[in-house]
Amino acid sequence: MKQKDTTHFGYKEVPTAEKARHVADVFHSVAGKYDLMNDLMSLGIHRFWKLFTVSNSGVRRGAKVLDIAGGTGDLTRKFAKMVGETGHVVLADINGSMLNVGRDRLTDDGIVANIDYVQANAEALPFPDNSFDCITIAFGLRNVTDKDKALASMFRVLKPGGQLMVLEFSKPADWLGGIYDTYSFKVLPQLGKLFTGDAESYRYLAESIRMHPDQETLKQMMIDVGFERCDYHNMSAGIVALHRGYKF
């Protein structure tokens, strides 16, 4: 299928070939204070969302895990302890600034023995077929230009019997819509301006959430590239959803 000439970057239309650069600029800007902003934006609830994801991964000692868009290493930190010395975790991120922050933080905490760091595009993962027991991508899929291509790439490198877990902002319950919109488009950019000096990047993040597929659409996208037993679990009234699918 021929790739479209343009795609969305938040609410803007940009040339498809340029979206990755625009996204990179956003995360270069916010990398240093990414964790602080996550705490402020979610009132710390993002830690629960991530803990729920890891707790439902089924990852055991000796497993091999790929953490895509792993950023500052929240999930990688937890997985490295779960897989132990005989296991292995790869923290992958397309953005060098985010990857460096994650590497520095985990290294400073002495978590080094079973982790590799790879700068990689989710649409073309540089790993052999059937490499990983579990793949996670937390709050990263919405920034990918071609989500179908990325999901197919994840399917390829997942081992038979392995699980993909996509943790992402989604469509909240109707009763929450007005409050959520006000917070996203009024409060969030101001928090970004106050704590990072960058309101525009956080305005983009709010817009990117609205442009991301809803729960049922993403579930079908996973099925379409080959994943089976696909389901999702809404958290915080659907503000976030954890999608899961298996390769058999």
Side-chain angles (χ1 to χ4, degrees), residues 198-238:
D198 183 357
E200 284 303 311
S201 289
Y202 287 92
R203 186 170 290 110
Y204 158 73
L205 293 176
E207 292 175 357
S208 71
I209 291 168
R210 298 310 189 280
M211 299 300 291
H212 186 68
D214 64 16
Q215 289 93 325
E216 285 294 328
T217 302
L218 180 54
K219 177 182 176 181
Q220 188 60 51
M221 290 168 67
M222 292 174 64
I223 293 170
D224 288 346
V225 301
F227 288 101
E228 299 181 43
R229 288 173 51 193
C230 296
D231 63 9
Y232 59 85
H233 179 86
N234 285 328
M235 292 181 278
S236 302

Side-chain angles (χ1 to χ4, degrees), residues 3-26 142-146 204 207 211:
Q3 190 176 47
K4 291 173 58 179
D5 293 331
T6 63
T7 189
H8 60 84
F9 173 71
Y11 288 164
K12 301 175 183 176
E13 282 287 318
V14 299
T16 299
E18 295 181 11
K19 178 173 178 176
R21 177 177 60 80
H22 287 295
V23 172
D25 289 343
V26 169
R142 73 181 187 281
N143 297 308
V144 173
T145 302
D146 190 332
Y204 158 73
E207 292 175 357
M211 299 300 291

